Amino acid sequence: MSEMKKPVYKPNREFAASARIKNMCEYETLQAWATEDYEGFWGHFAKEKITWQTPFDTVMDESDFPFVKWFGGGRLNVSVQCIDRHLQTRKNKAAIIFEGDRGDKQTITYMELHNSVNRFANMLKNEFGVRKGDRVVIYMPMIPEAAYAMLACARLGAIHSIVFGGFSAEALRDRIADAQAKVVITADGAYRKNKPYMLKPVVDKALEGDTPVEKVCVVERNGEEIVWVEGRDVSYSDLIVKQSIHCEPEIMESEDPLFLLYTSGSTGKPKGVQHNSAGYILWAQMTMEWVFDVKESDIYWCTADVGWITGHTYIVYGPLAMGATTVMFEGVPTYPDAGRPWKMVEEYRINQFYTAPTAIRVLHKMGNDEPKKYDLSSLKVLGTVGEPIDPPAWKWYYEDVGNSKCAIVDTYWQTETGGHIVSPLPGATPIKPGCATFPLPGIMAEILDPKTGEKVEAGEGGYMCVTRPWPAMIRGVWGDEERFKKSYFGDVKKEGRAVYFTGDGAVYDEDGYITITGRTDDVINVSGHRMGTAEVEAAINKHEGVAEVAVVGKPHDLKGEGIFSYVIMKNDTVTGRNMELTKEINNIIKQEIGNIALCDDIVFVPGLPKTRSGKIMRRILRAIAKGEAITQDISTLEDPSVVEKIQNAVNT
Ligand code: WT7
């Protein structure tokens, strides 16, 4: 890896000259400002970037750390920040460009976005009784109405909780129950690879039995037949036409919640990560401007789904807050062929393109020569997110897609950080393949030694931490203060004070560049999505024949990591692989979580490597899955002979 990292790509001069942060000297000046006068720095940008209803009077209050408050006394509405304030100068500018799976297109101007969001908000308010603080679950495909729904919630001060459309009815039910949502917004279904798929039946199943949900609003996208539950389900198209385009925005306090987004942790059920209004929208906009350097007439495309944080911050909130044009794509990048994204880049003259390494690997593998077939000269910035990008994928992205001219921004962040925290600045930061480079201005990100709390030396691995609260930091785990403190502020202390720990390991190189090395906990990164081993284990345990299970990640060529499970059956005569049982177990996972959590490999074993205190040594299981020799001391295991038995089962 370090060999591949040697080349330093100098940013394109012409491009750098007009960038918002032009060079490392400007970067360092900003970072020095933040270091010396943290509140002055953030106060300055909050004043400059946010259209306040009432100005704030304090910048940061950390007296109740880790519960931190930003911009106290300030009042605003995030939908105004994303829409209304642009109407004077940009009402005819495209806010959203939508392209459907089958190539259908729609351009939505800021004026039209305003009208649609206001109608949507009026519908939520007048027809469903949604009020400030209510939770609304959004279970939607990638269509403009998903963005309208988010912004309509923001307009009313309701808290949205988007559940990715790939999650199962069980997963949806859990999230609805945890958030106690009163309304679900969904669609009949949508299209994928020119075929309709369904969402509404999943909602129906999730709402069976006791549910806090009173109303389900259904956007008709694919027109397939669905069941309508009398009194509960309503058609969006019927109601929306009756609504006025005027809906007064609810004026919110800076720290009023904006949304929840459930994400996997190393233990237990997914947690509802809470983001609040002012700090989140400020950082969404600032990072959008700094990291993608989107200019007034640029067209920006992020290929994520709104079901993940990337879709929240970098398809909807960030681009709209800065008044940019954001592309929303319903389809999959390899359909009808692996040239689809490049065809779209050519057609819309996309200037910034943002995707995940897993997508780059698939596009590379399936369509090495596709980029050459299109005019990609409009591209200036190419972004990646979700996992470390491997050098071959980086090289192809840089050379074949970017024509060795674009800045690659390897953006490191998480659901909890709200926006990027470590990333190159395009045109300013000399880039190295596979390197997220430096903390963004204002972010006090450091790699610390978990034992001493000191910054680690170059080449020594440590824990990726943020030592001061920042505006877009997670504000809480919904309904669970203890879990919030324990999950993020329990592991590392710097100078005796708890700091935010990301859960990732990282390392500095000799030039101070940061490389993220991956999770230090039991979280697997499958195609850039986080999956908790505990969640997958809980699903597998529902199989009545299963006695015990341990799940680990195993490197996978395309997905980054695949899910590898070791299962002990109650009837322990089964060892090695078993097609039928594997199918049964994967079916349960599909029902409990969704297709994204299916196991790539399940091995039936007679035992698990446990310490005498009963702790499963996952490190050994990871090594066996990879086919590596076991280097750690196994003499402390309760039964050292189990290692060889497991190896035999894997190799049969
Ligand atoms: C985890 C966060 C942030 C949006 C997508 C995923 C990994 C994210 C990078 C990167 C190396 C990365 C980390 C992180 N990760 N970006 N550029 N390089 N690793 O959001 O589901 O909250 O997952 O993704 O492990 O903790 P998420």
Side-chain angles (χ1 to χ4, degrees), residues 309-310 386-388 410-415 504 519 525 530:
I309 191 69
T310 309
E387 57 179 308
D410 178 348
T411 63
Y412 167 73
W413 59 300
Q414 323 175 280
T415 305
D504 288 302
R519 304 286 308 188
N525 190 324
R530 234 151 98 176

Side-chain angles (χ1 to χ4, degrees), residues 5 31 52 69 78 89 168 201 212 236 265 289 321 402 404 415 455 498:
K5 231 185 274 163
Q31 193 59 326
W52 294 97
K69 294 196 176 80
V78 167
T89 52
S168 70
Y236 168 77
E289 294 178 355
S404 305
T415 305
K455 191 166 164 172

Side-chain angles (χ1 to χ4, degrees), residues 209 356 366 428:
M366 295 178 62

Side-chain angles (χ1 to χ4, degrees), residues 86-132:
H86 302 311
L87 293 182
Q88 277 212 337
T89 52
R90 302 185 174 114
K91 72 169 185 272
N92 292 321
K93 176 173 174 173
I96 299 175
I97 293 178
F98 169 72
E99 174 151 327
D101 173 73
R102 295 160 309 155
D104 46 320
K105 300 170 181 20
Q106 195 189 345
T107 299
I108 298 134
T109 65
Y110 272 93
M111 190 74 233
E112 289 164 336
L113 180 65
H114 171 273
N115 296 352
S116 296
V117 168
N118 278 263
R119 284 203 181 93
F120 209 120
N122 275 326
M123 176 185 75
L124 292 178
K125 184 162 82 178
N126 303 332
E127 311 280 345
F128 312 146
V130 172
R131 295 287 178 271
K132 179 176 170 176

Side-chain angles (χ1 to χ4, degrees), residues 263-264 308-310 354 357 384-389 410-417 422 434 436 502-504 516-519 523 525 528-531:
T263 189
S264 297
W308 309 109
I309 191 69
T310 309
Y354 190 30
T384 79
V385 58
E387 57 179 308
I389 175 163
D410 178 348
T411 63
Y412 167 73
W413 59 300
Q414 323 175 280
T415 305
E416 293 86 344
T417 66
V422 179
T502 58
D504 288 302
I516 305 295
T517 50
R519 304 286 308 188
V523 170
N525 190 324
H529 301 140
R530 234 151 98 176
M531 195 47 66

Side-chain angles (χ1 to χ4, degrees), residues 591-603:
Q591 276 167 34
E592 294 292 315
I593 307 174
N595 283 335
I596 49 173
L598 293 183
C599 294
D600 295 273
D601 199 354
I602 301 179
V603 177

